[in-house]
Amino acid sequence: MSASAETGAPALAGASAGGPAVHGETLPNGLQVVVIPDRRAPVVTHMVWYRTGAADDPPGKSGIAHFLEHLMFKGTERNPDGVFSRIVADLGGQENAFTSYDYTAYFQRVAKEHLPTMMALEADRMTGLVLSDAVVAPERDVVLEERRMRVDGDPGHQLVEALMASLYLHHPYGTPIIGWMHEIEGLNREDALAYYRRAYAPDNAILVVAGDVDPQEAVALAATHYGPIAPARAPRAPRVREPEIVASLRVSVADAKVEQPLLQRYYLAPSVTGAAPGETEALEVLARCLGGGTISRLYRRLVADLELAASVGAHYSPLAVDLSRFGVYAVPREGVALDRIEAALDEELAAVVASGFPEEEVARAKTRLLAAMIYAQDSQYALASQIGAALTIGLSAADVAARPARIEAVTAADVHAAARRVLQSRRSVTGLLVAA
């Protein structure tokens, strides 16, 4: 069980020509069933994705989505605490779960003949969760300790929390997935069950099966095990909109445990749900051009030429229900002050905003991005995750499959336009991690 540090969103990839076929069907109770045949090994990955995550936590109850993820392993009347995991282990399988801002997912990877068992177990805990105070209180202590270790004891994670809380002034993406400590302390059995009854239902879920399975047989199995569950008909509650930022912000974390200083910056950026056609693809290419490896612009300038940085990078994920973010970072070489590396970074970003990139740089970035999409198809888990994450935010399998062609269509002019729109200081937060 794990909480994402930021979004937990996998890169949005898709099946290119000759890639895996995707079969989809919706059961009468609203459950979306997606099957991705993969005959390379006699195993299957079974995933249930719920369209609810940390950004859907009720006010004052931050962390409840992640807390419920923990509690989902505490058993049902049919399969008491520990039985689910013991069955998976006895079958030689693997299991886990994760919570992000926009979704919560549970998965198992087993030999293909055990798929019916996984469906029976997961369908049972979709509605049959049994909780008592004797179970809830100790698990809340587990989550509190998780926060102490991962966040309160980690200056780098503290910086990410401060960046997110500053970038999203009003939207729940600014609240940590794991929750604020004082609100986790107040979570109880009633909170968990109320969230469970509202959000865990077939019409709020997506079943993804990837592996050595016949699509029609998988859909039939899903109808058998999940079909009898009644829908909740409780759509995702509307979220508040982020106001327009009018001033750049700065945060810093100083701690004696910091051994390596860091400069990290986030810019507000559109996601696939609100971007203009081709805009998110241009932003993905922009991230590759800026900070995607040793031939990227920031690496060549700050690491190779000026010898100021030990490492640099840029990142962007288009997968979000609401506004996403574009990030850049730089780790200075020993003896280099953060203000010096920030000045060099700002100079390069200003040059990109002013002039963009030559077509050959954009072409190289697209080639690397498309290659990463193809390599992702080697992983059955990655195939299932890409589809599941995309569908939870409202995309379709066809949208995922069309992604490579859209990346290929990006031009240098598109990347330049994306840079001008997103790399604006007034839409950014800069974070500094320094030794105390």
Side-chain angles (χ1 to χ4, degrees):
M1 296 174 284
S2 62
S4 165
E6 295 187 36
T7 66
L12 182 58
S16 60
V22 178
H23 302 262
E25 190 167 325
T26 301
L27 301 185
N29 63 1
L31 178 70
Q32 270 187 277
V33 182
V34 178
V35 185
I36 310 169
D38 178 12
R39 309 289 189 180
R40 291 173 292 183
V43 297
V44 294
T45 298
H46 171 263
M47 307 187 80
V48 174
W49 297 72
Y50 292 97
R51 297 182 185 89
T52 189
D56 302 298
D57 291 348
K61 305 290 183 181
S62 67
I64 188 62
H66 171 248
F67 185 33
L68 179 58
E69 176 213 312
H70 278 244
L71 295 173
M72 285 288 284
F73 289 83
K74 295 305 176 182
T76 66
E77 184 174 340
R78 185 178 303 169
N79 298 292
D81 189 7
V83 171
F84 191 128
S85 295
R86 186 166 63 249
I87 291 173
V88 174
D90 289 346
L91 295 176
Q94 301 169 320
E95 65 161 345
N96 213 327
F98 51 87
T99 304
S100 187
Y101 284 108
D102 296 318
Y103 50 76
T104 308
Y106 302 82
F107 70 89
Q108 304 85 36
R109 180 174 168 84
V110 294
K112 67 176 184 178
E113 61 267 24
H114 303 311
L115 178 60
T117 302
M118 297 303 104
M119 286 197 184
L121 289 169
E122 202 66 83
D124 175 47
R125 72 173 173 183
M126 183 178 282
T127 59
L129 184 64
V130 174
L131 297 177
S132 66
D133 290 335
V135 166
V136 171
E139 197 62 32
R140 183 177 57 231
D141 291 339
V142 170
V143 175
L144 288 168
E145 183 60 24
E146 180 183 343
R147 179 174 170 93
R148 292 187 190 99
M149 292 180 62
R150 291 190 178 185
V151 182
D152 300 343
D154 182 351
H157 205 137
Q158 292 173 26
L159 180 66
V160 170
E161 261 197 7
L163 283 164
M164 293 291 287
S166 301
L167 184 68
Y168 296 100
L169 300 177
H170 190 45
H171 192 278
Y173 287 166
T175 299
I177 291 170
I178 198 170
W180 300 115
M181 180 69 82
H182 67 287
E183 293 188 347
I184 300 171
E185 290 172 341
L187 299 178
N188 56 39
R189 173 180 175 273
E190 289 71 26
D191 296 327
L193 287 175
Y195 195 100
Y196 175 70
R197 295 181 184 120
R198 175 179 63 80
Y200 281 53
D203 51 328
N204 200 40
I206 299 161
L207 170 65
V208 181
V209 179
D212 189 6
V213 62
D214 176 80
Q216 295 307 314
E217 291 178 2
V219 171
L221 278 174
T224 297
H225 294 286
Y226 294 97
I229 303 174
R233 295 186 174 85
R236 192 193 301 267
R239 298 172 181 170
V240 295
R241 292 178 56 190
E242 185 68 11
E244 184 66 23
I245 293 180
V246 296
S248 60
L249 303 172
R250 297 178 70 83
V251 298
S252 64
V253 172
D255 194 287
K257 294 190 290 292
V258 174
E259 297 180 356
Q260 180 63 68
L262 169 70
L263 183 151
Q264 192 160 340
R265 181 180 294 161
Y266 289 162
Y267 297 87
L268 282 175
S271 71
V272 289
T273 58
E279 189 172 21
T280 60
E281 292 84 359
L283 286 168
E284 289 186 85
V285 176
L286 173 62
R288 286 278 174 165
C289 288
L290 269 178
T294 58
I295 63 173
S296 67
R297 179 70 65 87
L298 293 180
Y299 187 96
R300 295 202 316 269
R301 186 60 176 157
L302 273 66
V303 178
D305 295 345
L306 297 177
E307 298 184 345
L308 296 175
S311 64
V312 294
H315 53 88
Y316 166 72
S317 174
L319 286 182
V321 169
D322 300 303
L323 274 174
S324 187
R325 64 196 172 279
F326 188 100
V328 294
Y329 70 88
V331 177
R333 291 194 181 190
E334 187 174 357
V336 176
L338 280 176
D339 58 353
R340 186 179 176 197
I341 205 169
E342 183 176 4
L345 175 65
D346 286 340
E347 183 178 342
E348 289 307 307
L349 294 177
V352 166
V353 170
S355 304
F357 296 92
E359 284 286 359
E360 55 268 24
E361 282 191 56
V362 171
R364 286 197 299 266
K366 291 195 300 184
T367 298
R368 298 197 304 275
L369 187 54
L370 290 167
M373 292 180 176
I374 293 171
Y375 297 151
Q377 295 178 15
D378 285 339
S379 168
Q380 191 179 97
Y381 172 80
L383 288 173
S385 295
Q386 290 159 4
I387 291 291
L391 267 59
T392 57
I393 66 167
L395 299 183
S396 68
D399 292 325
V400 177
R403 199 71 179 176
R406 291 174 179 158
I407 292 291
E408 188 61 58
V410 172
T411 66
D414 296 329
V415 175
H416 190 197
R420 289 198 306 269
R421 174 174 176 183
V422 170
L423 301 180
Q424 300 180 30
S425 61
R426 68 181 181 85
R427 294 171 60 86
S428 73
V429 178
T430 300
L432 305 178
L433 182 65
V434 296

